[in-house]
Amino acid sequence: MSTDLPGTDSTDDRTEQPLRLLIVDDQPLIRRGLAMMLATEAGIEVVGQACDGLDAIAQAQATRPDVVVMDIAMPEMTGVEATRQIRALTPAVRVLVLTAYDDDPYI
């Protein structure tokens, strides 16, 4: 299977390059917990954390992650709008939406 993310293809010779993640969540415990847990995984580097959509956009531009793990419901700017702007500014970045809500209107 071929993807455009480093270290995800079994034929990829760049396995020494970790998958660079930006974690975005307004809840500090969730954000820090995810960052700590994912940072222990081989092949993953957490390059930043953001507390809201506006911070996510700034961090994405500054750190150029491969993947943004994005909460949907946040103050200042929703994850949906932040995702739109991040993808417009940095099209190579992929976004994985993470939410605890199963009845959220964004889903």
Side-chain angles (χ1 to χ4, degrees), residues 14-15 29-30 32 34-35 38-39 53 57 60-61 63 71-72 74-75 78 91-92 95 103 107:
R14 302 173 298 158
T15 56
L29 183 63
I30 301 297
R32 291 180 192 139
L34 274 173
L38 291 169
I57 295 165
Q61 289 182 290
T63 63
D71 185 19
I72 289 181
M74 294 182 292
T78 68
V95 179
D103 61 344
I107 298 176

Side-chain angles (χ1 to χ4, degrees), residues 22-28 31-32 47-65 68-70 74-79 81-83 85-86 89-90:
L22 170 62
I23 310 294
V24 184
D25 198 296
D26 61 319
Q27 298 296 318
R31 184 177 64 248
R32 291 180 192 139
V47 296
Q49 297 179 41
C51 61
D52 60 42
L54 294 173
D55 192 20
I57 295 165
Q59 289 285 328
Q61 289 182 290
T63 63
R64 300 291 185 182
V68 176
V69 179
M70 178 79 72
M74 294 182 292
E76 304 300 323
M77 179 184 290
T78 68
E81 182 57 32
T83 296
Q85 292 192 33
I86 288 169
L89 293 167
T90 53

Side-chain angles (χ1 to χ4, degrees), residues 35-47:
M36 286 175 47
M37 183 177 62
L38 291 169
T40 65
E41 294 295 320
I44 294 178
E45 177 185 2
V46 177
V47 296

